[in-house]
Amino acid sequence: VPFRLGPLLRNGKPPWFPRGEDLPKPVFVFDPSGSRTSTWHQGGLDANGPYDRRTFSPKVPKIAVICQARAQGQVEQWLAQFLEGVPSPSSGGQRGSAGPYEKGFVRRYNLQDAKTKVFTTPTADAKGYLAACRRPVDATTGRGARWDLAFVQTDDAFHALAGDDNPYLVTKAFLLKLGVQVQAITLETM
């Protein structure tokens, strides 16, 4: 359907349409001295590493993964690709920096490694997710250890569930109370 902007919406004809303005790209700084900069966040991060690469702790984050037992294999495959990267077809299977997902989380953020443990639920309901979520907490209680991050595998159908019926919301609330950062990973889009 063709359309044409008439005089009412034509740029530069106040008061009907605001004046347009191009803003320069932001400059991202990747070190305290300000000498490592880039206008591309990912390219700058890949070339220079994160701003706090020398002081960031922990260098080996502990990551709990909560998922349905039926999806464990798919979640573990996604987790390996997330942490280690996904080679682009143009790199001949070699991991490098040619594609947006090649470096992976560990190398992109200058970590030494990441320790992961998967905790499964046999069901896709809030009660099963909460039980699976309690296991990583129980595994660290009394040892003075804690999880730095939790990935929670979800289904698209969870978006239609509210409050205590939503497995992700219940799990996230439980873990956030303990100071554990939570990120959802949707099975359908992983």
Side-chain angles (χ1 to χ4, degrees), residues 37-121:
T37 63
S38 178
T39 56
W40 181 32
H41 64 287
Q42 182 174 298
L45 192 56
D46 285 347
N48 303 299
Y51 182 89
D52 60 356
R53 67 188 163 281
R54 290 183 182 90
T55 59
F56 180 79
S57 179
K59 287 290 188 183
V60 182
K62 291 180 284 310
I63 303 172
V65 181
I66 313 297
C67 69
Q68 296 168 29
R70 68 173 179 83
Q72 183 175 356
Q74 187 176 351
V75 170
E76 287 175 343
Q77 182 180 12
W78 171 86
L79 185 63
Q81 291 175 339
F82 170 78
L83 293 173
E84 300 304 322
V86 179
S88 72
S90 63
S91 69
Q94 300 296 316
R95 284 182 167 83
S97 59
Y101 306 106
E102 287 193 41
K103 275 203 155 188
F105 182 74
V106 171
R107 287 188 299 153
R108 173 160 288 139
Y109 291 99
N110 288 13
L111 301 174
Q112 292 172 356
D113 196 6
K115 299 293 181 194
T116 62
K117 183 148 177 69
V118 177
F119 300 89
T120 62
T121 173

Side-chain angles (χ1 to χ4, degrees), residues 65-68 70-71 74-79 81-82 129 150-160 166 168 182-190:
V65 181
I66 313 297
C67 69
Q68 296 168 29
R70 68 173 179 83
Q74 187 176 351
V75 170
E76 287 175 343
Q77 182 180 12
W78 171 86
L79 185 63
Q81 291 175 339
F82 170 78
Y129 266 75
F151 285 115
V152 179
Q153 171 259 311
T154 65
D155 294 333
D156 275 340
F158 291 2
H159 295 294
N166 186 314
Y168 175 66
V182 182
Q183 177 62 51
I185 50 172
T186 306
L187 189 61
E188 292 83 357
T189 59
M190 89 175 50

